[in-house]
Amino acid sequence: MDKGRISSIQMGMMMYLTILATAILTVPSITAKYAKKDLWLSPIWASIIGFFTVIIVIQLSKRFPRQSFFQICEHTIGTLATKLLGFLYFTFFLIASGQITRTYAEFIKVFFIKTPVSVIMITMLLLSAFTVIAGIEVIGRVAQLFFPIFVFSVFIIIFLLLPQLEPSNIFPILENGLLPSLKGAIIPQIWFGELFLIVFLLPSLSDSKGMKWGILTVLLILVTFIITNITVLFILNQNTEFYIYPFLSATQLVNLGDFIESIEPIIIAIWILGTFIKITVFYYVTILTTAQWLKLSDYKPIVWPIGILIVEVSFWAVPNLMVNNHIDITVFPFLFPIMQTFIPLFILGMAVIRKKSKSLEI
Amino acid sequence: MKRFFLSLSFFLSIFMLSGCWDRVEVNDIAIITATAIDLTEDNQIKVTAQVFIPRALSGGGGLGTGGGDLTLIRTGIGSNLADAVSKLQMVLPRTIFWGQCKVFIFGMGLAENGIREQFDFLVRHPEPRGRAFMFVSKADTEKVLQLLPPLERYSGEVLKELLDFKIGLPVTMKDLDLMLTSDAQNAVLPLIKVYPPNKGKTENESIPYISGSAIFSKDKMIGTIGEYETRGIMWIKNMLKYSTISFKAGNEEEEISVSPVQSDVKLKPRISKDKWKMTIKVQAEGDVVQNETKLNLMDPETIKRLEIDFGKNIKHRIEAAIDPLQKEFNIDIIDFATEFHHHYPKEWKKVKNRWNEIFPQIEVSVDVNANIRRPGYTSTPSGLPKDEVKK
């Protein structure tokens, strides 16, 4: 369908930005609500889902090389079930894209008080739509371009915050046992589960190092996650859970010799870069899912209609920021693992039981 | 056709890309440099803002001292802070901008009534900085902001500069937020008084200065402590990196001064047999800057004796700070709760809800290791004949 090819490193960068762009800002706060001072441990437990998902997806693609996810499903569970599953994934990705777009808009709205939310979302989706039409190769290259900027900015901010860090805030470690940090892991695991998206990227890989870079991406995300969580904890201490965007609030405290201060525009800029990749990847996957599910010959004609639908969904599903965060806590911890980890696991299981595989004969 | 639409969209985007339709220029905003929040007699919130006048800085020809004031004062009264601020906007022709406000002052009336309700506005609003300093003022808050400091540009700047070299406890908005939710849930803020103006000057030509601290139980102010005790608290909190200490040397009548004293303080909590103990370990060292006595400072034996007296002085300072907290106020503002929580999480959980009862019973011991490193430029007391120098 999309003839473009990306390298597995580009795939890793895409996933890194997709996952961390939103995770850095809102997740520390939600994690802290349950894990309290052990919030830096939670990503470790959460990353297990990440590794698990990557391994499942890679195993699937090894059994069915260069096959799309729904083709794999057809081979294992039959046409009718695949059609049903396709519908499920279509709605799932539509809701996910809508919610991500809304989260982005809500954050930008804090600074652009007078700009209507719809304008913020439409301008972003317009840009994403052009990128999606251009295909996977362009998305991969844009990710490669933004990745160093993103990583560099995050670490320069952490570096500038070093004088403010209060390492004793980490104590007492595991005050109430392991349970709080495990509970805290329920939210970040959603983000790690998003690595499932590589199932749609693997057929476009130009090399065969998908496994290696998939695992490496999870590791890198894990490390960044822990570092940002620890930074936030060392600065905001027990108040982390009360801030909606703790990393942003921490960034506002940067002050180097009364000279370098108020650098939070940087974090807004990198957030826009990162979310652009995130929205584009989800948008692309939504389009691809729809096209593969309906067996369309080309995906380009549906890019615009689906884009309008994403904007609509982001309004229908989310009335305000409180509900947005509430959905993050109550619905997504169950919905995302089922769609991203357990259904692929089930399909892999079926494939193993029925001893199905398909070698290169397209 | 395609080319036409492409070029059209390029041209159209020129109008969009300028991004100026809702721009905010410097001459559209009223930059607030300091804010005071107080309670009126009929329990309304009064907010007083010190607004920077950019014109006063740019016009008027450089260093001319006779120019107009650099700031103006406006007040707004409302049922809460947000309401008062909107009333304040009614008397300001420009949009209020909080981003540069580095000083927030609570009036005594509000502090005694509880600051939490109004503090919420400052934390929730996206503009006020987490790094802004918080104060409590003994003097009328409006008067403090009206002062015209002779050295600095406006009174808010004076307070910020004073804190920069640690004259009082530097407490930022983020610190206050952390204090109020910390294990002990108490807070301490620097207290402002107005320095009496020099002879022949008008009442307004003076500066606000920091004198001691206000003690808060939860968010309500319950008392004040003096400068000496405040510095003791700063010792315990390890905030005092450089200071001057004068002490009586042994049996001598006169004093020896050491400066700058560099110090490092560690809190070591211990629980043994239900007795809660806190050891404050102080490591301090400094150089002699004044010697009133007749002692020869080059003698290692003398220095050894002096170091003991030096240590005793520091110990006294710290004990003097803890004493009123344990005996008079019964509240913990020196992070003892946090230390016990970190080291004894299980025991802490049992006493968490009645910490104010436990805190006065904690046995505090101060363990000082003080060193005098150098005598300064002279060895024997200056201006003293050699045969009068004591051993």
Side-chain angles (χ1 to χ4, degrees):
Chain A
M1 185 159 297
D2 188 349
K3 294 284 183 298
R5 288 279 175 271
I6 55 168
S7 68
S8 42
I9 301 176
Q10 282 174 333
M11 180 193 79
M13 288 173 174
M14 269 162 82
M15 291 320 295
Y16 182 91
L17 291 177
T18 301
I19 290 171
L20 279 175
T22 45
I24 280 185
L25 283 173
T26 51
V27 175
S29 159
I30 307 175
T31 313
K33 216 158 269 161
Y34 300 99
K36 305 285 173 196
K37 291 202 158 188
D38 295 328
L39 79 153
W40 57 281
L41 276 170
S42 299
I44 301 175
W45 315 135
S47 71
I48 295 170
I49 287 276
F51 288 117
F52 199 50
T53 312
V54 169
I55 291 166
I56 292 169
V57 170
I58 298 283
Q59 285 306 321
L60 269 180
S61 81
K62 268 195 184 147
R63 281 177 174 270
F64 305 94
R66 298 252 176 262
Q67 297 274 307
S68 78
F69 182 58
F70 294 105
Q71 282 170 326
I72 297 173
C73 291
E74 268 183 31
H75 288 306
T76 48
I77 56 175
T79 317
L80 191 69
T82 306
K83 286 280 171 231
L84 215 70
L85 208 61
F87 176 70
L88 276 182
Y89 273 103
F90 167 69
T91 45
F92 169 70
F93 282 126
L94 204 59
I95 291 170
S97 310
Q99 202 255 359
I100 290 159
T101 317
R102 184 59 183 262
T103 312
Y104 159 78
E106 288 294 336
F107 177 75
I108 298 298
K109 177 84 177 154
V110 176
F111 304 96
F112 291 7
I113 300 169
K114 290 181 194 159
T115 314
V117 184
S118 51
V119 171
I120 302 173
M121 291 196 295
I122 290 169
T123 45
M124 183 53 114
L125 276 172
L126 210 63
L127 196 61
S128 295
F130 282 124
T131 323
V132 170
I133 288 175
I136 182 84
E137 231 173 273
V138 171
I139 305 176
R141 283 183 196 167
V142 172
Q144 197 173 12
L145 197 67
F146 289 168
F147 177 81
I149 304 174
F150 186 89
V151 176
F152 181 74
S153 314
V154 168
F155 282 93
I156 202 89
I157 284 169
I158 292 172
F159 179 74
L160 289 175
L161 282 169
L162 280 182
Q164 321 244 358
L165 297 186
E166 195 71 58
S168 70
N169 288 352
I170 204 171
F171 298 109
I173 299 169
L174 294 178
E175 187 185 11
N176 296 315
L178 271 175
L179 200 64
S181 69
L182 283 172
K183 266 192 200 162
I186 291 172
I187 304 300
Q189 59 91 9
I190 300 172
W191 270 262
F192 278 107
E194 279 170 9
L195 277 156
F196 162 69
L197 298 186
I198 64 174
V199 82
F200 296 95
L201 309 179
L202 285 171
S204 307
L205 279 194
S206 59
D207 51 40
S208 56
K209 293 184 208 137
M211 180 75 170
K212 183 183 148 200
W213 284 101
I215 296 291
L216 222 65
T217 308
V218 184
L219 270 176
L220 270 178
I221 291 167
L222 174 61
V223 170
T224 321
F225 234 134
I226 294 175
I227 291 175
T228 47
N229 275 6
I230 281 201
T231 312
V232 168
L233 174 69
F234 281 1
I235 290 173
L236 300 174
N237 205 355
Q238 72 273 11
N239 281 356
T240 309
E241 55 177 304
F242 304 130
Y243 288 90
I244 311 263
Y245 306 111
F247 197 69
L248 180 82
S249 298
T251 314
Q252 286 181 329
L253 299 171
V254 165
N255 178 26
L256 226 59
D258 276 342
F259 180 64
I260 300 176
E261 50 177 5
S262 316
I263 56 162
E264 68 270 17
I266 294 181
I267 206 172
I268 301 165
I270 61 170
W271 162 273
I272 293 175
L273 291 189
T275 356
F276 165 65
I277 298 292
K278 177 160 197 150
I279 292 173
T280 310
V281 167
F282 265 86
Y283 196 168
Y284 178 76
V285 167
T286 315
I287 300 289
L288 217 57
T289 310
T290 323
Q292 287 171 359
W293 165 47
L294 300 174
K295 296 223 166 115
L296 304 179
S297 58
D298 189 9
Y299 72 90
K300 277 167 194 163
I302 55 167
V303 170
W304 295 108
I306 298 269
I308 293 166
L309 217 51
I310 290 176
V311 176
E312 286 300 338
V313 165
S314 68
F315 278 112
W316 290 336
V318 191
N320 53 32
L321 184 78
M322 297 80 183
V323 172
N324 193 6
N325 279 9
H326 190 67
I327 292 173
D328 259 349
I329 297 169
T330 51
V331 182
F332 285 0
F334 305 101
L335 183 64
F336 271 67
I338 291 172
M339 299 303 283
Q340 299 184 139
T341 310
F342 294 113
I343 291 181
L345 178 67
F346 170 72
I347 288 169
L348 180 66
M350 291 299 277
V352 171
I353 293 166
R354 295 171 141 194
K355 294 219 170 64
K356 288 245 177 162
S357 68
K358 186 144 179 146
S359 47
L360 277 165
E361 35 152 305
I362 306 164
Chain B
M1 200 59 191
K2 197 181 175 190
R3 180 168 288 187
F4 171 73
F5 276 114
L6 215 60
S7 43
L8 189 73
S9 62
F10 268 120
F11 282 121
L12 279 179
S13 60
I14 292 173
F15 297 103
M16 313 279 276
L17 285 173
S18 61
C20 283
W21 65 275
D22 68 339
R23 76 203 181 282
V24 180
E25 300 277 348
V26 185
N27 53 15
D28 295 328
I29 55 176
I31 300 168
I32 309 250
T33 52
T35 312
I37 306 154
D38 208 347
L39 213 57
T40 61
E41 274 160 20
D42 47 352
N43 273 331
Q44 298 266 57
I45 298 295
K46 179 174 112 179
V47 60
T48 312
Q50 192 179 50
V51 185
F52 187 68
I53 309 173
R55 194 177 20 182
L57 196 66
S58 56
L63 294 165
T65 44
D69 301 343
L70 270 174
T71 54
L72 60 91
I73 307 294
R74 287 282 185 274
T75 57
I77 294 174
S79 55
N80 63 22
L81 185 52
D83 190 32
V85 167
S86 68
K87 297 280 159 55
L88 176 68
Q89 183 71 76
M90 286 167 65
V91 290
L92 274 173
R94 296 179 178 185
T95 319
I96 293 176
F97 177 68
W98 294 102
Q100 288 293 326
C101 184
K102 298 235 163 85
V103 170
F104 286 96
I105 304 167
F106 293 113
M108 280 283 254
L110 180 69
E112 278 165 0
N113 239 294
I115 53 171
R116 197 204 63 78
E117 291 91 342
Q118 315 314 327
F119 184 59
D120 179 82
F121 173 82
L122 302 180
V123 181
R124 193 177 298 275
H125 197 290
E127 264 179 19
R129 300 266 146 189
R131 292 182 30 77
F133 290 112
M134 316 301 277
F135 298 88
V136 171
S137 171
K138 218 168 191 173
D140 181 44
T141 49
E142 205 174 327
K143 222 166 245 163
V144 171
L145 293 186
Q146 271 168 353
L147 293 175
L148 300 168
L151 268 181
E152 295 294 340
R153 288 185 292 177
Y154 40 85
S155 49
E157 181 94 351
V158 173
L159 290 169
K160 195 190 148 272
E161 295 288 330
L162 282 174
L163 277 192
D164 272 353
F165 41 83
K166 308 268 161 77
I167 293 302
L169 277 164
V171 180
T172 62
M173 194 193 291
K174 172 211 129 199
D175 292 337
L176 181 60
D177 199 10
L178 279 176
M179 277 184 197
L180 291 172
T181 55
S182 71
D183 292 322
Q185 296 178 353
N186 302 315
V188 52
L189 288 182
L191 193 66
I192 303 176
K193 281 182 189 158
V194 176
Y195 192 78
N198 293 358
K199 250 183 204 161
K201 301 277 180 186
T202 57
E203 203 189 332
N204 267 351
E205 280 176 83
S206 179
I207 58 160
Y209 74 107
I210 298 158
S211 156
S213 318
I215 309 274
F216 284 74
S217 168
K218 302 233 160 157
D219 67 324
K220 289 186 177 57
M221 179 175 153
I222 54 166
T224 60
I225 53 172
E227 282 159 61
Y228 192 74
E229 290 86 356
T230 302
R231 294 192 74 76
I233 287 174
M234 288 173 76
W235 272 96
I236 301 169
K237 287 187 166 231
N238 206 6
M239 281 175 175
L240 219 54
K241 292 295 175 199
Y242 302 99
S243 58
T244 303
I245 284 181
S246 306
F247 56 91
K248 285 210 164 66
N251 304 324
E252 305 285 329
E253 281 293 303
E254 298 91 350
E255 288 187 332
I256 284 183
S257 293
V258 181
S259 173
V261 178
Q262 299 181 28
S263 60
D264 189 39
V265 181
K266 285 199 174 70
L267 300 181
K268 295 239 184 300
R270 217 171 44 148
I271 302 176
S272 60
K273 290 179 204 148
D274 278 354
K275 278 239 159 125
W276 294 53
K277 287 177 190 161
M278 179 64 88
T279 312
I280 301 174
K281 269 195 179 315
V282 184
Q283 175 76 40
E285 63 172 71
D287 304 347
V288 176
V289 288
Q290 187 174 3
N291 179 12
E292 287 185 325
T293 66
K294 293 173 177 172
L295 294 168
N296 176 11
L297 294 181
M298 287 310 281
D299 184 0
E301 286 300 313
T302 316
I303 289 293
K304 230 174 234 172
R305 272 188 286 134
L306 288 178
E307 280 176 347
I308 292 171
D309 295 324
F310 179 29
K312 266 188 195 154
N313 187 286
I314 295 173
K315 189 174 167 173
H316 180 258
R317 281 162 185 269
I318 292 175
E319 281 170 350
I322 297 178
D323 218 41
L325 295 182
Q326 282 197 319
K327 294 194 176 129
E328 194 184 328
F329 299 114
N330 286 351
I331 61 164
D332 172 17
I333 52 168
I334 41 184
D335 300 335
F336 279 14
T338 315
E339 290 298 326
F340 276 107
H341 186 187
H342 286 179
H343 288 85
Y344 297 94
K346 272 186 210 139
E347 288 83 349
W348 159 256
K349 217 177 255 173
K350 284 179 208 151
V351 301
K352 200 163 127 188
N353 295 325
R354 46 189 189 94
W355 178 245
N356 285 356
E357 296 164 32
I358 302 287
F359 176 69
Q361 293 159 22
I362 294 174
E363 278 179 36
V364 183
S365 55
V366 185
D367 185 1
V368 185
N369 179 13
N371 294 300
I372 296 172
R373 296 293 185 206
R374 280 154 226 99
Y377 276 1
T378 50
S379 53
T380 52
S382 337
L384 197 71
K386 203 181 171 193
D387 46 348
E388 280 184 44
V389 174
K390 280 193 203 169
K391 272 268 168 170

